[in-house]
Amino acid sequence: MTFQENEFESQAAELRDKITTLDAELTEDFKSKFLIVPFLSRKIVSFQGNKDKPAYNWYKYKEAFSAGLVEYFLSNYEGGTQGKVLDPFAGIGTTLFAASERSIHADGIELLPIGQEIIQTRLLLQKGLSSSDTATLERWIAFQPWKEFPERVPFNIFRITKGAYSSETLDAIERYRGAMHQESEKIQAILRLALLCVLESISYTRKDGQYLRWDARSGKIRPGTKPFNKGEILSFAPAITAKLKEILSDVTSYEVPTTLFPIPQTSSDIRLFEGSCLEILPALETASYDAIMTSPPYCNRYDYTRTYALELAMLGLTQTEVSNLRQEMLSCTVENREKDLLKICPNWSPFIEAANHQRLLKRINTYLENEKAAGILNNNSIPRMVRGYFSEMACVIGECIRVLKPNARLFMVNDNVRYAGVGISVDMILSDIARTLGFEVEKILVVPGKKGNSSQQMGTYGRIPLRKCVYVWRKR
Ligand SMILES: C[S@@+](CC[C@H](N)C(=O)[O-])C[C@H]1O[C@@H](n2cnc3c(N)ncnc32)[C@H](O)[C@@H]1O
């Protein structure tokens, strides 16, 4: 080791110690707030909990939480059973539909077109189907009209989606899209929904957090990597007809007055705002919501615009539109450039300051910058991502306080993360920022059993457990 390397390592060790000390101090500070809740299993806080829930299980949105989780919070906290709920990161609308089923009005904000499309089509389907709509869908299931349809309607292909389907599947999708255009707008929306729901299962790809993973049968094998096999790749016709049957059966059972069929008629309104919550939140009315139930992207480098690329291409987005979308998303990937938050909203200085002055975060930021300067980070944009994540989240939190009624609660699902050997207690850092901005931290509910780290991190630094929590904050 050179003198310089030695010097650097002792500085890094000192900073790590300081981070450990500050983390321990904050843990002591929040000691009475932490509570392990057995009900909050990994299943209930994730999409897994929706597996058997009609309509919620049509489209597998891996980043979703379950309707059961929303019901739990809305029914276990007073004030959560009436009025109006907001989810600024609505995803496929779990909060919105689960709240609406309890006769609570729900507003959602979602930026990603796949989430928007699922929500809008579910809303359309909740209005029910006419007998002629049902007959049309039954005809599609029985006669598979795309098979003989002469006209193909191609769709966008990105660099990262090229070769995602076998030639037979590609041909079937294009004919399906051709035949689809003969139908009414409503039927088209349902056929498109079914198509989006099966895309992954008929492709050579598997969604894998940061990117799309390719099955070796695609012929795309990265040199030096172990060939990956995703298991059965479904053929188009059985996959799409099964999905259409499932949707039709779930929807038609709305109209049957029996509790055997579990999709209730909704009696209250759902409003979806399409766009970035950073832009939309400032336009929402002050003190107008009774609760916020949400889960933002985690600070874990997961890139939704990559993992949902098949769907975004199918929805007609261009490569440039996807790149722009990536920049608009809450910063959680190494590709996110810094956002000019004060340009979005000049009132946000105190929120940004709150993030800048959070003591533990300050040390973490310095540590990551030093690691970058020493060339040890596996990606040099990690410090920018972490700083951006917390500044943007501080602005979201500040806006959430503003739009909540006094004493109303915010429930947030989020994961802690780890970079360059240092655990980042996202739960305590965000709770501390929330406290500075005017929330009382009522509880930090811990999901039992801790999650590991990325294989890369584990190899280098060993396994350190990471908390997954639901924060319960109340507007003071
Ligand atoms: C963890 S997921 C939430 C899933 C949701 N709870 C559900 O059950 O479907 C986070 C969501 O935030 C969305 N998102 C990311 N950046 C956003 C932004 N700036 N404005 C609005 N939504 C955003 C993502 O597209 C993603 O759907």
Side-chain angles (χ1 to χ4, degrees), residues 265-285:
Q265 281 274 22
T266 58
S267 56
S268 47
D269 293 339
I270 289 180
R271 273 197 308 179
L272 174 68
F273 298 98
E274 299 186 347
S276 169
C277 63
L278 290 168
E279 303 279 349
I280 292 168
L281 278 169
L284 298 181
E285 204 182 321

Side-chain angles (χ1 to χ4, degrees), residues 61 63-65 87-95 109-112 275-278 294-298 304 328-330:
Y61 198 51
E63 287 73 20
F65 47 47
D87 186 349
F89 300 98
I92 56 166
T94 315
T95 298
I109 308 173
E110 176 54 47
L111 178 61
L112 205 63
S276 169
C277 63
L278 290 168
T294 196
S295 171
Y298 304 160
Y304 292 75
E328 270 200 87
M329 306 278 289
L330 189 89

Side-chain angles (χ1 to χ4, degrees), residues 248-265:
L248 187 59
S249 138
D250 289 347
V251 174
T252 45
S253 54
Y254 285 171
E255 288 132 30
V256 182
T258 159
T259 49
L260 273 181
F261 295 105
I263 307 182
Q265 281 274 22

Side-chain angles (χ1 to χ4, degrees), residues 342-368:
L342 288 178
K343 195 168 161 204
I344 301 177
C345 185
N347 302 339
W348 282 352
S349 305
F351 307 159
I352 299 165
E353 286 295 290
N356 288 345
H357 288 116
Q358 207 291 322
R359 288 169 68 216
L360 174 57
L361 180 61
K362 238 162 118 170
R363 294 292 168 149
I364 291 170
N365 284 339
T366 311
Y367 172 73
L368 292 176

Side-chain angles (χ1 to χ4, degrees), residues 76-369:
N76 279 291
Y77 284 83
E78 104 271 356
T81 48
Q82 57 199 2
K84 202 159 83 166
V85 165
L86 172 71
D87 186 349
F89 300 98
I92 56 166
T94 315
T95 298
L96 313 187
F97 291 101
S100 168
E101 280 167 19
R102 302 182 69 88
S103 303
I104 300 169
H105 294 276
D107 286 354
I109 308 173
E110 176 54 47
L111 178 61
L112 205 63
I114 178 63
Q116 297 166 356
E117 178 82 15
I118 303 293
I119 295 172
Q120 299 287 20
T121 314
R122 261 191 85 176
L123 286 173
L124 186 77
L125 281 165
Q126 281 191 339
K127 294 188 186 134
L129 293 174
S130 67
S131 49
S132 125
D133 293 335
T134 307
T136 306
L137 291 171
E138 281 168 348
R139 177 171 56 78
W140 271 71
I141 293 165
F143 300 109
Q144 309 188 341
W146 67 89
K147 283 189 166 168
E148 305 301 323
F149 200 76
E151 199 185 313
R152 296 183 183 84
V153 174
F155 51 93
N156 291 352
I157 292 183
F158 307 147
R159 189 181 43 77
I160 61 163
T161 64
K162 195 162 180 233
Y165 312 101
S166 68
S167 51
E168 303 82 68
T169 299
L170 189 65
D171 181 69
I173 298 174
E174 290 183 350
R175 287 180 196 275
Y176 179 90
R177 283 165 53 87
M180 199 172 103
H181 283 135
Q182 309 285 304
E183 304 293 352
S184 69
E185 295 270 323
K186 187 173 181 185
I187 295 292
Q188 279 192 45
I190 301 165
L191 294 171
R192 192 165 51 240
L193 170 70
L195 178 58
L196 291 166
C197 291
V198 302
L199 277 189
E200 184 180 9
S201 65
I202 58 173
S203 80
Y204 289 124
T205 69
R206 158 96 53 89
K207 298 185 195 315
D208 206 356
Q210 291 177 25
Y211 48 82
L212 281 179
R213 209 161 167 207
W214 286 77
D215 187 287
R217 284 166 282 183
S218 64
K220 286 194 180 185
I221 304 174
R222 275 217 314 241
T225 58
K226 214 170 120 203
F228 164 64
N229 184 308
K230 69 177 267 192
E232 190 185 5
I233 296 173
L234 302 181
S235 301
F236 182 76
I240 199 83
T241 45
K243 188 52 76 176
L244 283 170
K245 267 187 205 164
E246 180 191 344
I247 295 173
L248 187 59
S249 138
D250 289 347
V251 174
T252 45
S253 54
Y254 285 171
E255 288 132 30
V256 182
T258 159
T259 49
L260 273 181
F261 295 105
I263 307 182
Q265 281 274 22
T266 58
S267 56
S268 47
D269 293 339
I270 289 180
R271 273 197 308 179
L272 174 68
F273 298 98
E274 299 186 347
S276 169
C277 63
L278 290 168
E279 303 279 349
I280 292 168
L281 278 169
L284 298 181
E285 204 182 321
T286 300
S288 54
Y289 291 95
D290 299 271
I292 293 178
M293 170 88 222
T294 196
S295 171
Y298 304 160
C299 187
N300 59 5
R301 299 181 61 173
Y302 277 26
D303 187 345
Y304 292 75
T305 58
R306 284 212 162 75
T307 42
Y308 292 94
L310 294 184
E311 291 81 351
L312 297 179
M314 191 59 68
L315 286 170
L317 274 84
T318 63
Q319 186 103 44
T320 311
E321 285 168 334
V322 173
S323 303
N324 294 341
L325 195 58
R326 185 172 304 135
Q327 291 308 324
E328 270 200 87
M329 306 278 289
L330 189 89
S331 289
C332 65
T333 79
V334 286
E335 280 169 73
N336 284 108
R337 290 188 293 274
E338 190 180 340
K339 292 185 181 58
D340 188 346
L341 294 170
L342 288 178
K343 195 168 161 204
I344 301 177
C345 185
N347 302 339
W348 282 352
S349 305
F351 307 159
I352 299 165
E353 286 295 290
N356 288 345
H357 288 116
Q358 207 291 322
R359 288 169 68 216
L360 174 57
L361 180 61
K362 238 162 118 170
R363 294 292 168 149
I364 291 170
N365 284 339
T366 311
Y367 172 73
L368 292 176
E369 286 296 349

